[in-house]
Amino acid sequence: MTQADNIDAYASETGAAIDAAASLDEIEKIRVAALGRSGTVTQWMKSLGTLPKDERAAAGARFNQLRAGIEEKLAAAAQKFEAAALAARLATERVDVTLPVKSEIAGRIHPISQTIAEVVAIFGEMGFRVAEGPHIEDDFYNFTALNIPPEHPARQEHDTFYFPESAEGHRRLLRTHTSPVQIRTMLAQQPPIRIIVPGRTFRSDHDATHSPMFHQVEGLVIDESTHMGQLKGCLIDFCRAFFGIDHLPVRFRASYFPFTEPSAEVDIGCSRAGGELKIGAGADWLEILGCGMVNPKVLEYGGIDPAKYQGFAFGMGVERIAMLKYGIPDLRTFYDSDLRWLRHYGFLPLDVPSMVGGL
Ligand code: PHE
């Protein structure tokens, strides 16, 4: 048998093995046996040097042809298996576009924003509109026009952040409450006035229950026949709607604010039995807001005739009522920007009520 016969026999033997192979693995084994470093064809090619010179060229050409033929068959077979594997994967990994989508993790509404939205929704239902004012205020709006003249002790209680004095001796400040918006609104419009003012306020104070920046909601109603009965009814309705307790006990306790006369603080009924605070039950009281009939001097500062009009006003701390309603123990955590906290205490966007029940 000539070497050519040998090569032909090997080619057809290998070709048959490739045709019979049942997997990519088997194809690879055939490739190694033929073309690997110590494979048959490789060995034959290595032995070229031992052949007589005049036979080398022809033998080399035959080996190259043999190798090319085997490589071609191997590639075709491999491609067949790869195509089959791909088809199988596509069949099993098929995406069913009709399946419901897995919901993305949505952002959360901060409890401060949620609480403001709730308060605004409740007073919105009663016919109040939202008003706003600047954070940087003049002494006049923050104090003087609210019947807090320069030497009044209430100024000390406010721990005010002042800006450096201007050349004209004018000192601006960060508003210490939302009450200056009362004056701005009075000067901008005539009664009837019915506004609610959510916003940031600032005092130089920092501990577990005070933050240098916090939020208040102010309310102001002025009309010809506004009276204290309306103030009481409005705030009782608000407290019950906000806490979602129909028969929540609400108490008005005489108090003092320079800008209201008479003034009151509003308490809601609670129990502190066993160290646990429960709103709406028990014999204890919890202060939640300040209010009163607008002092006639304040109406005058606002350009409104106190002989013709009277009004009531109220103000509450947003953090405080949010902590009470949602059981948030530490005020400072509101501003930590801790996402785990927000995931726990935050609200899904759709939880913001369009209107709150219980009214
Ligand atoms: N401005 C008062 C405060 O910051 C709250 C208040 C507003 C009280 C309106 C009465 C009327 O404490």
Side-chain angles (χ1 to χ4, degrees):
M1 193 162 69
T2 66
Q3 192 186 28
D5 292 337
N6 228 345
I7 289 174
D8 287 347
Y10 182 77
S12 62
E13 201 178 284
T14 308
I18 293 171
D19 287 342
S23 68
L24 267 180
D25 269 0
E26 287 180 28
I27 297 285
E28 177 60 11
K29 276 189 196 131
I30 296 167
R31 190 192 65 76
V32 171
L35 311 176
R37 213 179 303 154
S38 43
T40 307
V41 180
T42 313
Q43 293 306 322
W44 281 344
M45 293 180 101
K46 276 188 191 156
S47 69
L48 272 177
T50 63
L51 290 181
K53 257 202 174 125
D54 56 343
E55 286 176 24
R56 278 183 210 164
R62 277 201 301 275
F63 289 148
N64 276 336
Q65 207 185 353
L66 169 67
R67 189 175 61 182
I70 293 174
E71 273 172 352
E72 198 180 312
K73 283 208 91 170
L74 283 170
Q79 206 188 10
K80 188 183 75 193
F81 285 114
E82 275 159 11
L86 180 64
R89 260 188 67 191
L90 285 177
T92 56
E93 293 178 11
R94 163 116 84 318
V95 175
D96 182 350
V97 292
T98 65
L99 282 175
V101 194
K102 222 167 139 195
S103 65
E104 297 259 325
I105 297 171
R108 297 281 165 148
I109 304 291
H110 194 283
I112 297 286
S113 306
Q114 169 80 16
T115 302
I116 289 174
E118 291 173 11
V119 173
V120 166
I122 295 167
F123 284 107
E125 183 125 290
M126 296 187 207
F128 286 70
R129 71 171 180 87
V130 171
E132 282 180 311
H135 296 160
I136 298 175
E137 265 297 4
D138 283 349
D139 195 281
F140 174 77
Y141 294 104
N142 197 81
F143 291 126
T144 307
L146 288 163
N147 193 34
I148 312 176
E151 300 314 320
H152 198 286
R155 291 203 176 201
Q156 265 74 59
E157 282 164 33
H158 277 218
D159 300 311
T160 312
F161 286 113
Y162 285 101
F163 287 85
E165 227 168 80
S166 71
E168 305 85 56
H170 194 74
R171 248 189 344 173
R172 295 205 293 170
L173 48 85
L174 290 177
R175 68 179 182 192
T176 57
H177 49 177
T178 41
S179 303
V181 185
Q182 289 190 30
I183 305 299
R184 290 181 175 276
T185 306
M186 291 182 208
L187 290 173
Q189 74 169 95
Q190 279 298 302
I193 291 172
R194 211 179 284 140
I195 55 157
I196 196 87
V197 186
R200 290 191 175 167
T201 47
F202 307 84
R203 290 185 200 182
S204 178
D205 212 348
H206 200 198
D207 58 36
T209 53
H210 296 90
S211 150
M213 189 282 295
F214 58 104
H215 298 76
Q216 288 190 340
V217 180
E218 190 87 7
L220 176 68
V221 173
I222 302 176
D223 209 339
E224 287 182 31
S225 59
T226 305
H227 57 75
M228 191 137 186
Q230 293 168 350
L231 161 66
K232 291 183 74 177
C234 173
L235 291 178
I236 291 170
D237 279 353
F238 164 73
C239 292
R240 292 181 175 165
F242 180 76
F243 289 102
I245 302 170
D246 283 348
H247 301 290
L248 177 67
V250 180
R251 173 175 88 167
F252 290 74
R253 184 167 36 78
S255 184
Y256 173 76
F257 299 102
F259 32 92
T260 47
E261 182 59 35
S263 302
E265 262 158 338
V266 176
D267 298 338
I268 56 173
C270 70
S271 130
R272 292 188 179 87
E276 202 200 332
L277 180 69
K278 264 211 192 82
I279 290 170
D284 283 335
W285 296 98
L286 192 68
E287 181 200 320
I288 65 154
L289 59 91
C291 63
M293 299 307 293
V294 179
N295 191 312
K297 287 187 196 159
V298 174
L299 291 175
E300 266 171 30
Y301 274 115
I304 289 173
D305 180 3
K308 187 169 179 201
Y309 293 105
Q310 24 192 9
F312 67 79
F314 55 88
M316 65 188 96
V318 176
E319 282 80 353
R320 180 166 171 79
I321 59 172
M323 287 165 81
L324 292 172
K325 180 167 177 179
Y326 295 114
I328 301 170
D330 189 335
L331 174 93
R332 286 167 292 202
T333 57
F334 279 114
Y335 316 111
D336 283 345
S337 299
D338 184 334
L339 284 178
R340 293 165 305 175
W341 182 90
L342 191 57
R343 239 167 260 140
H344 182 80
Y345 287 111
F347 295 82
L348 290 174
L350 287 177
D351 281 359
V352 178
S354 53
M355 280 299 141
V356 176
L359 266 180

